[in-house]
Amino acid sequence: MLLKWSYMAKDKIAYVCSHCGQESAKWIGKCPSCGQWNTFKEIRIAGDSGQMAARSAASNLRNARHNEKNKAMRLNEISYGDVPRIDMRDDELNRVLGGGLVQGSIILLGGEPGIGKSTLTLQTILNLTDKRILYVSGEESAQQLKMRAERLMNKASDGLAKGPEDTEPTDSSQLLILTETSLESIFNNIKETLPEIVIIDSIQTISTEEVDSSPGSITQVRECAAALLRFAKSSGVPVILIGHINKEGSLAGPKILEHIVDTVIQFEGDQHYMYRILRSIKNRFGSTSELGIYEMGQNGLRQVSNPSELLLTQDNDGLSGIAISSAIEGARPFLLETQALVSTAAYGTPQRSATGFDQRRLNMLLAVLEKRVGFKLVQKDVFLNIAGGLRVTDLAMDLSVIAAVLSSNVDTPIESGWCMAGEVGLSGEVRPVSRIEQRVAEAQKLGFKDIIIPKNNMQGMKARGLGIRLHPVRKVEEALRLLFG
């Protein structure tokens, strides 16, 4: 027994950086590859020497064949054609993907738990009745997916349908459901069913027998994603991976997962609000400046083609602390309602709170309002909210934030029909913003009569023929004088 035990290989301990995937034989405080601190995690590698040797031989053979096929080519010898895409029957999703799903691509869809990732994916593939789709679920049973699909297919009865095509019953005979967590079993089912699209929900639940660690670990996620990438590129079948978000707000698993995939899209929003934003973080086949907006209903997600009409309150006349801003998120312009409340500090220490807006940016704008305009807010609480539950990063919101705060401070409402767009600098100047023509056109489309814009944006603009009056300003004082006299 002792002799037999001596020939058995022991398990090895390795350390892998959770940020970039760098491996090390011992624990290191700072990763030498990405420079992050305290990111090395301990993993256990199986000590089956025969299996490791066979795996190494197979890897060498695969690399040798790969090297035989690929040869260096001159740039002018490479032929280029249009990338074939699959229409997802969803305008918002097609916009974010860059025009549709590219064949042979691998997509990573991330989002917080309960935000609607699985609902969006299942709702989309139910409309692709002409494609054979394999939906692999490692989190839900087949009965749970059937119940959700039935609810989504009956959405027309609740008024969520967009046209006559949604009232017809959905043919789900081409949708195959597989509840499996083993990667080897998933590939066996793929060989038998020959799907045209593969969906993995979620990548953190899938494991392979080649790695001796628990599902969701750094090594398992990396190896499974790499195997699915090889399958997608070699077969031309697009693969959609659904991933989780950790408490820091980034995609769970190693950072190398985002480098492996072709496209990373994030589904975000507040669970207490009905709006969801689909944002592209990385896209090798399109722009990362596009985003899609959905409205979460009881029976699924509805596309929001004109978000400005839904985000604006129609009966805010006579209410102080409300300013309308023409913002751009991604490549889409829409009008947002900025709400502010300024009150005397009840407990001596003033509070500063912002929902949907950068807290540090708010503190800077309040300092500009005190220093450059002369309004003292030291002993007052300031609360800021972007209506609709959206989180906006557009710097053109600065002017509306200052206007809303001042409107609440003096308890004077802003006249209806006014909106604004402009970045505010530390010296109180109104700096120019990008895509001013799209902002003005969006405000005009929704019936606004006056818009305040930076003076430097007037170069090259034609004010004549517009159904909206342009008010160029150079400083914050000029904008506030136009609004409050």
Side-chain angles (χ1 to χ4, degrees):
M1 179 64 68
L2 293 177
L3 183 62
K4 183 179 181 180
W5 178 261
S6 63
Y7 284 104
M8 294 180 64
K10 297 182 179 179
D11 292 349
K12 298 181 180 179
I13 301 297
Y15 297 88
V16 179
C17 176
S18 60
H19 190 265
C20 66
Q22 176 73 25
E23 295 184 2
S24 174
K26 61 180 181 178
W27 186 87
I28 306 175
K30 182 180 179 181
C31 177
S33 177
C34 62
Q36 298 293 322
W37 287 89
N38 299 326
T39 56
F40 275 88
K41 307 296 181 182
E42 178 182 326
I43 63 171
R44 185 177 299 274
I45 303 175
D48 191 347
S49 57
Q51 183 180 2
M52 294 293 293
R55 192 185 312 162
S56 177
S59 177
N60 294 335
L61 179 60
R62 183 167 56 248
N63 293 335
R65 292 176 178 176
H66 183 75
N67 293 333
E68 291 176 359
K69 292 181 180 179
N70 287 340
K71 294 182 179 179
M73 299 177 61
R74 293 185 178 91
L75 182 62
N76 55 6
E77 296 177 352
I78 301 175
S79 60
Y80 173 77
D82 294 334
V83 180
R85 296 178 183 266
I86 300 174
D87 184 10
M88 302 302 290
R89 313 287 173 83
D90 187 323
D91 296 337
E92 302 296 311
L93 182 58
N94 284 336
R95 179 185 293 110
V96 175
L97 291 176
L101 184 62
V102 177
Q103 296 183 0
S105 63
I106 182 166
I107 313 296
L108 177 60
L109 172 62
E112 297 179 355
I115 204 67
K117 304 183 298 296
S118 301
T119 301
L120 173 65
T121 307
L122 187 58
Q123 177 178 309
T124 302
I125 62 178
L126 284 173
N127 295 327
L128 301 177
T129 56
D130 57 338
K131 300 290 183 181
R132 179 181 291 271
I133 302 173
L134 178 62
Y135 189 99
V136 181
S137 176
E139 299 178 346
E140 296 179 288
S141 63
Q143 290 76 17
Q144 290 175 316
L145 292 173
K146 175 67 174 179
M147 292 171 57
R148 179 180 296 176
E150 291 288 344
R151 187 177 75 249
L152 295 175
M153 287 189 291
N154 295 331
K155 65 178 181 178
S157 61
D158 276 6
L160 290 179
K162 292 184 61 179
E165 67 277 2
D166 288 334
T167 60
E168 301 177 359
T170 303
D171 182 16
S172 59
S173 59
Q174 295 293 322
L175 178 57
L176 306 175
I177 302 297
L178 174 64
T179 55
E180 184 61 64
T181 58
S182 172
L183 184 64
E184 288 75 16
S185 179
I186 292 173
F187 280 136
N188 290 334
N189 280 272
I190 290 176
K191 293 178 182 178
E192 295 176 1
T193 58
L194 300 177
E196 298 175 79
I197 300 177
V198 176
I199 297 172
I200 307 295
D201 185 10
S202 63
I203 185 62
Q204 280 82 12
T205 61
I206 307 301
S207 62
T208 175
E209 297 176 357
E210 296 183 357
V211 178
D212 187 18
S213 59
S214 60
S217 62
I218 299 172
T219 310
Q220 285 285 5
V221 172
R222 182 182 59 183
E223 294 298 325
C224 293
L228 291 168
L229 174 67
R230 290 192 295 269
F231 161 74
K233 298 303 180 183
S234 61
S235 64
V237 177
V239 178
I240 300 177
L241 307 178
I242 299 179
H244 296 303
I245 296 292
N246 55 26
K247 60 182 179 180
E248 287 83 12
S250 58
L251 286 165
K255 196 69 176 178
I256 195 174
L257 179 61
E258 300 181 33
H259 298 291
I260 288 176
V261 300
D262 297 315
T263 304
V264 179
I265 53 180
Q266 190 159 337
F267 204 41
E268 57 189 36
D270 194 335
Q271 297 185 12
H272 302 287
Y273 289 91
M274 63 182 70
Y275 301 111
R276 303 287 188 268
I277 293 181
L278 189 64
R279 196 186 305 271
S280 176
I281 301 176
K282 169 191 174 182
N283 194 351
R284 290 174 178 165
F285 306 105
S287 174
T288 57
S289 60
E290 296 286 355
L291 78 160
I293 300 180
Y294 295 86
E295 180 183 3
M296 175 64 80
Q298 183 178 0
N299 288 349
L301 294 162
R302 184 179 71 88
Q303 304 176 41
V304 179
S305 58
N306 189 5
S308 300
E309 295 181 352
L310 295 178
L311 296 175
L312 293 180
T313 305
Q314 303 298 330
D315 54 351
N316 56 5
D317 294 342
L319 300 178
S320 62
I322 295 179
I324 307 300
S325 176
S326 182
I328 285 184
E329 278 295 301
R332 300 182 64 180
F334 50 87
L335 300 188
L336 286 174
E337 184 177 299
T338 305
Q339 301 174 347
L341 176 63
V342 180
S343 60
T344 305
Y347 302 103
T349 303
Q351 301 182 49
R352 303 287 188 263
S353 177
T355 303
F357 193 77
D358 189 6
Q359 176 77 42
R360 294 173 295 180
R361 190 80 182 174
L362 173 62
N363 295 333
M364 188 205 76
L365 295 176
L366 294 179
V368 172
L369 193 59
E370 289 190 10
K371 179 71 174 181
R372 304 301 179 185
V373 186
F375 284 89
K376 302 301 180 181
L377 303 171
V378 179
Q379 298 300 325
K380 292 188 177 181
D381 296 334
V382 179
F383 302 94
L384 185 72
N385 177 48
I386 305 300
L390 299 180
R391 179 164 186 85
V392 185
T393 58
D394 190 7
L395 297 179
M397 295 282 297
D398 292 352
L399 203 54
S400 66
V401 169
I402 287 183
V405 169
L406 187 56
S407 173
S408 178
N409 185 42
V410 299
D411 200 15
T412 301
I414 298 176
E415 186 179 352
S416 61
W418 283 75
C419 65
M420 59 207 74
E423 178 187 354
V424 176
L426 290 178
S427 59
E429 81 277 12
V430 180
R431 301 175 58 84
V433 294
S434 61
R435 301 177 183 174
I436 190 64
E437 293 86 359
Q438 298 183 28
R439 302 175 192 268
V440 174
E442 183 71 14
Q444 178 186 353
K445 183 176 67 175
L446 293 179
F448 284 81
K449 301 300 181 183
D450 300 89
I451 181 171
I452 301 175
I453 63 174
K455 190 173 183 178
N456 291 336
N457 279 125
M458 287 296 295
Q459 299 178 1
M461 283 196 64
K462 297 180 180 179
R464 294 183 179 181
L466 295 177
I468 185 173
R469 291 184 291 271
L470 304 180
H471 300 273
V473 296
R474 191 170 62 91
K475 294 184 178 181
V476 176
E477 298 93 323
E478 300 177 19
L480 298 179
R481 198 176 299 117
L482 287 171
L483 295 174
F484 304 103

